[in-house]
Amino acid sequence: MTVQTRGRGSMRGVSLWFVATGSVFVTLGMLGGIAMAVSSDHTLAPAHAHLNLVGWVTMALFGIYYHLVPAAADTRLARVHYTIATAGVLAMVPGIILAALERDELLVAVGSLLTLGSMLIFVFTVFRHRA
Ligand code: HEM
């Protein structure tokens, strides 16, 4: 009988990268949320929301998916996916801040397209690795 050891109590590779990076993003998002609450200035609430929902919830879901589907995680596309998803958050969240402050809209546009690209890679991956 083959004993499946992978996934029991540990996470590695792309799954770990997604969850670990997301946990850093949500920590920053919570600090931003506390700063907003303390200052009573909610101007940057959309940046906070996207850092938490795209940077944490979405990234963590990707990480859990790759943990559950190792065949999808052990691919170059999965590493490209991680890079594009992370770059998307790193561009989109500061981009939302700049847009909210009416300074610039290019960065948020780039971040949005990277984030969309990341989701398209995920859609492709889910269908490619269906049973
Ligand atoms: C320490 C933890 C957190 C604090 C102190 C915090 C604080 C805040 C504050 C002050 C606002 C603005 C509310 C308003 O303008 O009406 C807000 C909005 C929001 N937060 Fe958080 N938050 C926290 C964690 C989270 C997490 C973990 C998520 C999602 C996973 C989240 C998602 C949102 C969303 C979606 C909004 C609405 C944004 C908008 O109206 O544009 N927050 N939060």
Side-chain angles (χ1 to χ4, degrees), residues 28-40:
L28 296 173
M30 286 179 171
L31 289 171
I34 291 169
M36 277 196 298
V38 169
S39 67
S40 295

Side-chain angles (χ1 to χ4, degrees), residues 12-88:
R12 68 176 187 86
V14 161
S15 322
L16 175 65
W17 301 351
F18 268 117
V19 174
T21 305
S23 67
V24 173
F25 285 152
V26 76
T27 304
L28 296 173
M30 286 179 171
L31 289 171
I34 291 169
M36 277 196 298
V38 169
S39 67
S40 295
D41 180 353
H42 298 177
T43 311
L44 301 182
H48 162 84
H50 285 79
L51 182 55
N52 288 334
L53 293 171
V54 181
W56 168 234
V57 179
T58 307
M59 296 274 283
L61 285 173
F62 289 155
I64 293 166
Y65 168 82
Y66 283 116
H67 186 68
L68 292 173
V69 187
D74 289 332
T75 62
R76 204 173 86 86
L77 185 62
R79 294 190 287 279
V80 170
H81 182 203
Y82 168 80
T83 304
I84 290 180
T86 303

Side-chain angles (χ1 to χ4, degrees), residues 99-124:
L101 299 176
E102 295 182 357
R103 296 260 298 276
D104 171 74
E105 290 190 351
L106 179 63
L107 194 59
V108 71
V110 170
S112 305
L113 291 175
L114 286 168
T115 299
L116 175 65
S118 145
M119 191 51 76
L120 291 176
I121 291 174
F122 187 61
V123 170
F124 175 79

